[in-house]
Amino acid sequence: AEDEIILFEREMKEFWTKLKSIYGTEQINQTSALRDSCKESIKALSEKWSKKLKEGDLMIDKIQEYSNEILQQTQRISENQEHLTEIKSNLNQEEERKKDLTDSIQELKEELMKKKEIISSKNKAAKERMERLCKSKILFEERLGLEIRRIHNEQLQFIFRHIDHKDPDKPYVFTLSINEQGDYEVTSCTPPLDCIAELQLKVRQTNNFSAFVANIRKAFTALSHK
């Protein structure tokens, strides 16, 4: 637009030069006034379009700025979406681990309850067996000259006398307990007997406790005669 204005002004100057050579001063003055009016109109038009062009450039810059901002916001939204997807994935994994842990804890609780029930059952059986042994105390004392004592750790101590004719008060002692499996177990024997392991195995198989005690007394008696 500016190039056209410059070209137009040059043509007007040429036109004016030709005009002066043809017309008189009055006509030239009229033409000059007309030319000045045209120049003012052209100048106003030029300023108007120049302003429009500047406004257009500003508008283009603003549009480009908005476009860049929208692009950045779109990128941020995309990044946030990816981050959100990652967070959801982590939450799902944590939820699965939590469920696995809860299931494991429940299994451990159930297993612990079963073990407690088994231990309780064994303890009850051991207690009942020990009570039966205590009830047999009087019978053993009367028939076998035996003294039975309850000592530490829920053990029973069996003390035989009247075995050695030379020393009737000499004690022959063995200590008995009920182990974790609910079986009889001899924890000590004085004086020691070679057959104690065999007798212990037999009472576990037969559960004939009276015969077990009688056999130990026989073994002590045989040992005293050596």
Side-chain angles (χ1 to χ4, degrees), residues 90-103:
N90 292 335
L91 287 175
N92 290 335
Q93 292 177 1
E94 288 296 328
E95 193 67 27
E96 291 178 0
R97 283 195 288 267
K98 180 180 177 181
K99 184 179 181 302
D100 293 340
L101 181 59
T102 302
D103 293 342

Side-chain angles (χ1 to χ4, degrees), residues 7-56:
L7 179 61
F8 180 76
E9 288 179 348
R10 186 166 56 247
E11 291 177 351
M12 286 296 294
K13 287 180 181 181
E14 293 176 355
F15 173 76
W16 177 248
T17 302
K18 292 179 180 179
L19 189 63
K20 281 198 296 183
S21 62
I22 298 173
Y23 297 98
T25 303
E26 184 178 353
Q27 290 178 336
I28 292 173
N29 290 335
Q30 291 178 356
T31 304
S32 178
L34 180 61
R35 185 193 67 178
D36 291 339
S37 176
C38 288
K39 281 186 175 182
E40 290 296 328
S41 297
I42 291 171
K43 182 178 180 182
L45 183 62
S46 177
E47 290 177 353
K48 180 179 179 181
W49 281 105
S50 178
K51 183 178 179 181
K52 290 288 184 181
L53 288 172
K54 290 180 179 179
E55 290 178 353

Side-chain angles (χ1 to χ4, degrees), residues 179-192:
N179 61 22
E180 294 181 355
Q181 288 72 36
D183 296 326
Y184 295 112
E185 183 173 350
V186 177
T187 57
S188 65
C189 183
T190 306

Side-chain angles (χ1 to χ4, degrees), residues 192-207:
L193 294 174
D194 295 336
C195 62
I196 196 69
E198 179 183 351
L199 296 177
Q200 177 179 268
L201 178 60
K202 187 173 182 180
V203 72
R204 289 179 180 180
Q205 294 172 343
T206 64
N207 203 32

